[in-house]
Amino acid sequence: MRIATDKVDATSKLSNVISMIDKLAKKNIIHDNKASNLKSKLTKFVSKL
């Protein structure tokens, strides 16, 4: 997703990536705070495109 240069493409992928991060946090593979930080950084990245 980070290699996406088109905002429309990145926005469509964002929901899938956030869903994956939430699943990892739910299964305790990553911490809840780390999941929140990742989602926040990705959302900021997409909004800057």
Side-chain angles (χ1 to χ4, degrees):
M1 182 169 142
R2 291 210 183 247
I3 60 172
T5 57
D6 185 26
K7 187 169 185 169
V8 176
D9 184 38
T11 309
S12 65
K13 291 181 182 179
L14 181 63
S15 61
N16 291 335
V17 173
I18 287 178
S19 174
M20 286 184 222
I21 292 171
D22 286 336
K23 287 176 186 175
L24 290 173
K26 186 176 181 181
K27 294 179 182 180
N28 292 324
I29 295 173
I30 60 174
H31 196 270
D32 291 339
N33 291 342
K34 173 139 180 107
S36 296
N37 288 335
L38 287 171
K39 291 189 290 185
S40 173
K41 288 177 185 179
L42 286 172
T43 305
K44 286 180 184 178
F45 173 77
V46 170
S47 67
K48 286 182 183 179
L49 288 178

